[in-house]
Amino acid sequence: QVQLVESGGGLVQPGSSLRLSCTNSGNIFSINAKAWYRQAPGKQRELVASISSGGIANYADSVKGRFTISADNAENTVYLQMNLVKPEDTAVYYCNIRETVPGGDEYWGKGTLVNVSS
């Protein structure tokens, strides 16, 4: 059974850094896309960053140059390095892995809260 567990969230001050981690404990097809989404209070869930199994990363305009997504396939972990965080980055961050093959499955973590406040 696939289970995605996020960690690394918390209360941080504007301008600081933190790193989110998402560890997968099950078997997921190796051809997949990993992503981080976030949902702020009263807003829809939005894509923050994604990375393909080939290592190609994409970012939302709002986080370009500040956030970096990476994956350690040997450790079954995907990271989101968040630098120069802003109050508008406050949200619950969710890990997502989608098998990018016909009939592939999609998995979600339960989320980790990031609160950027002084």
Side-chain angles (χ1 to χ4, degrees), residues 28 31-34 96-101 104-107:
I28 295 179
I31 302 177
N32 60 65
K34 302 174 179 67
N96 170 274
I97 299 179
R98 179 171 52 88
E99 297 172 337
T100 52
V101 293
D105 290 320
E106 183 174 24
Y107 307 94

Side-chain angles (χ1 to χ4, degrees), residues 56-69:
I56 298 174
N58 288 285
Y59 299 91
D61 288 343
S62 58
V63 306
K64 280 182 182 176
R66 300 188 297 121
F67 292 8
T68 303
I69 187 171

Side-chain angles (χ1 to χ4, degrees), residues 26-102:
N27 293 317
I28 295 179
F29 197 72
S30 60
I31 302 177
N32 60 65
K34 302 174 179 67
W36 286 94
Y37 286 75
R38 68 186 181 187
Q39 187 167 19
K43 295 187 177 181
Q44 290 189 331
R45 190 173 297 188
E46 63 174 355
L47 177 65
V48 176
S50 66
I51 186 167
S52 69
S53 53
I56 298 174
N58 288 285
Y59 299 91
D61 288 343
S62 58
V63 306
K64 280 182 182 176
R66 300 188 297 121
F67 292 8
T68 303
I69 187 171
S70 62
D72 184 337
N73 294 323
E75 296 294 330
N76 292 328
T77 302
V78 57
Y79 301 99
L80 184 68
Q81 178 67 42
M82 305 169 61
N83 298 328
L84 299 174
V85 296
K86 303 175 181 180
E88 51 263 45
D89 295 322
T90 295
V92 177
Y93 284 72
Y94 297 92
C95 178
N96 170 274
I97 299 179
R98 179 171 52 88
E99 297 172 337
T100 52
V101 293

